[in-house]
Amino acid sequence: MFNGQPLPFFQPLIDTATGRIAGYEALARLRDEQGQIVSAGPLFTDPGVDPDDLLDLDRTIRRMALEAFRDNPDGFISINISPLWVSRLEPGKPLPSLQLLEEIGLPPEQVVFEITELQGDLQELKEAVRRYREAGIRIAIDDFGAGYSMLDRVLALEPDILKLDIQLFRQAASGNGNSGDFVKALALMAEKSGCWIIAEGVETEQELHFALECGARYVQGHLFARPAENFLPPDAVKAEFSRMRDDYAAGKLAERAKLMELRNSLSVLFGDLRKWLAKGGKPTDLPSPKSYPWLLRCFLCDAHGTQISPNYEWTNNSWKADPRYLDHNWSWRPYFYQILAEAGQDSRVILSNRYRDATTNQYCITSGLFIDNSRHLLLVDIDTALI
């Protein structure tokens, strides 16, 4: 039928909390007459291949994978399920995959069905997912984030696990472009909906660090183990994973230390700004920005978030006043809620989360300090690329 003998390969999924192998994803492979192993994945997207032949191949490899995993003492196995196969099910008839599990004797609780795409009839897919879940099988969605128009279908299926789209994940982990915040937002949405995140295709420690920053519960990729015909001991990568996780934690602590340095510098800056206001608030009397290279601008608001001073920005070696934002109210901005919530704490320097500044298109954070018994709010915008 195909050029090679079908067989499953297995790639481990690492539990980020323990460093142990928590489960495996089963992957379709073909072994040719020379013993070479090739992926069968391209066959499933080739329009020239007979769908009936593909279904036979899929079920053959699925059975082999489940039988091989049956004697595994613990953990789970993730099996790819195409909605195209679901659409061919007869209504009211037993589901072949559930029958296969019963025949093999593998507990459904050890199985994850990974929906590889979100095409086809949504109601049929929802019904199949409901029956899988009732049997005890967990549901994962692959390539989460790749098709933004599919978000409604993801939400409708209420999966247990979401696998980040590998291309989007790698682009975000590289630090190039603006995809990092987008992927983190997707991961946060998944967390809030009760889903676990899997980051696949992890090949470098930088990618692992980004996966941990996204809150990934499981990671898989060549950094830990390549797909293989056999299973590994549960602790096979634990020591190395623990080292890399410790390196990540050390990096975050270093970032925290830099943040404390920034807070200390801000305390000095706000002290200078309060003296500047006490002297009348003339632009020519503003403190020199040489000690604060990350400073984008400063301005003053009332306690309700309405701007009562111009923006003061360092331009061409002098402070310039930009009055365009006078009387604008910023209390609706997410970062401003964070700062306004601290009203009454005159002595505390407050930092917002990172965001994209609408004026300069730069990533920045805003710091604020209430003064005058919380009647006024001093604000500075900080270029995150320079801290």
Side-chain angles (χ1 to χ4, degrees):
M1 180 174 59
F2 297 109
N3 184 26
Q5 172 194 359
L7 75 161
F9 264 40
F10 304 94
Q11 186 169 38
L13 292 99
I14 314 303
D15 187 327
T16 56
T18 66
R20 304 180 81 241
I21 295 174
Y24 289 85
E25 179 183 4
L27 302 167
R29 296 290 188 264
L30 295 171
R31 177 184 283 122
D32 64 22
E33 294 180 353
Q34 287 72 42
Q36 297 296 313
I37 304 295
V38 297
S39 172
L43 295 172
F44 291 90
T45 57
D46 186 345
V49 179
D50 189 316
D52 290 329
D53 290 342
L54 281 178
L55 181 56
D56 287 342
L57 175 65
D58 184 72
R59 287 179 172 170
T60 296
I61 295 178
R62 191 183 313 171
R63 171 182 287 274
M64 295 173 70
L66 293 172
E67 287 178 341
F69 191 77
R70 175 178 50 199
D71 299 327
N72 216 41
D74 53 21
F76 64 87
I77 183 168
S78 180
I79 301 289
N80 293 326
I81 297 288
S82 171
L84 296 178
W85 308 152
V86 173
S87 66
R88 302 179 66 166
L89 298 173
E90 298 182 34
K93 294 293 183 67
L95 297 177
S97 292
L98 296 183
Q99 290 179 306
L100 178 59
L101 288 178
E102 184 176 359
E103 177 186 338
I104 292 174
L106 183 63
E109 292 77 16
Q110 284 189 268
V111 178
V112 173
F113 279 167
E114 186 176 318
I115 310 298
T116 56
E117 54 194 48
L118 293 177
Q119 300 175 359
D121 186 275
L122 178 60
Q123 293 305 315
E124 290 180 350
L125 190 55
K126 283 181 64 175
E127 175 60 18
V129 164
R130 181 190 65 80
R131 295 173 67 183
Y132 289 145
R133 187 174 279 117
E134 283 183 353
I137 294 170
R138 286 177 291 171
I139 302 299
I141 300 293
D142 195 12
D143 296 334
F144 181 56
Y148 313 130
S149 62
M150 295 295 184
L151 186 58
D152 58 334
R153 299 170 75 87
V154 172
L155 296 175
L157 294 177
E158 299 180 346
D160 305 288
I161 299 169
L162 291 170
K163 296 187 74 172
L164 295 173
D165 175 64
I166 188 170
Q167 299 302 327
L168 182 62
F169 168 77
R170 284 179 173 167
Q171 180 182 355
S174 71
N176 297 325
N178 305 320
S179 55
D181 286 337
F182 177 74
V183 172
K184 290 177 187 176
L186 287 176
L188 181 61
M189 184 193 73
E191 180 183 356
K192 288 183 178 296
S193 63
C195 294
W196 285 344
I197 286 288
I198 293 178
E200 63 176 334
V202 178
E203 297 186 352
T204 66
E205 290 197 40
Q206 181 180 352
E207 290 173 350
L208 172 61
H209 291 178
F210 183 73
L212 294 173
E213 195 165 354
C214 289
R217 177 59 191 274
Y218 302 112
V219 289
Q220 69 179 109
H222 293 174
L223 182 62
F224 317 108
R226 292 178 177 272
E229 196 169 355
N230 300 313
F231 302 108
L232 295 172
D235 290 337
V237 301
K238 182 177 180 180
E240 182 63 10
F241 182 86
S242 296
R243 180 197 64 77
M244 292 186 285
R245 187 180 54 201
D246 289 346
D247 288 345
Y248 167 76
K252 300 307 287 185
L253 286 174
E255 289 179 13
R256 184 73 177 176
K258 289 178 63 177
L259 192 61
M260 292 303 297
E261 291 179 10
L262 175 62
R263 285 185 179 276
N264 292 335
S265 296
L266 283 168
S267 295
V268 176
L269 173 60
F270 278 122
D272 292 342
L273 290 176
R274 294 179 81 161
K275 294 176 184 177
W276 166 70
L277 287 172
K279 290 194 301 182
K282 297 179 181 178
T284 53
D285 294 332
L286 276 165
S288 169
K290 291 182 180 180
S291 300
Y292 317 106
W294 33 258
L295 180 60
L296 288 174
R297 69 184 62 85
C298 58
F299 56 100
L300 190 66
C301 289
D302 65 20
H304 303 290
T306 298
Q307 188 163 335
I308 58 176
S309 81
N311 283 347
Y312 294 103
E313 302 187 6
W314 184 257
T315 306
N316 297 325
N317 294 318
S318 65
W319 287 104
K320 306 293 184 184
D322 182 356
R324 289 178 298 169
Y325 300 99
L326 281 168
D327 297 324
H328 283 51
N329 187 281
W330 305 116
S331 62
W332 53 273
R333 285 189 169 180
Y335 72 80
F336 217 92
Y337 288 124
Q338 184 180 351
I339 295 174
L340 290 178
E342 303 290 343
Q345 301 186 30
D346 275 11
S347 61
R348 182 176 178 184
V349 174
I350 304 153
L351 286 172
S352 75
N353 294 321
R354 192 181 77 140
Y355 65 95
R356 183 186 288 276
D357 179 63
T359 303
T360 63
N361 208 33
Q362 294 170 286
Y363 280 107
C364 66
I365 55 178
T366 295
S367 180
L369 179 73
F370 280 97
I371 60 174
D372 303 331
N373 294 319
S374 297
R375 288 183 292 114
H376 297 114
L377 180 59
L378 265 173
L379 290 153
V380 298
D381 288 340
I382 299 162
D383 184 352
T384 58
L386 299 177
I387 58 175

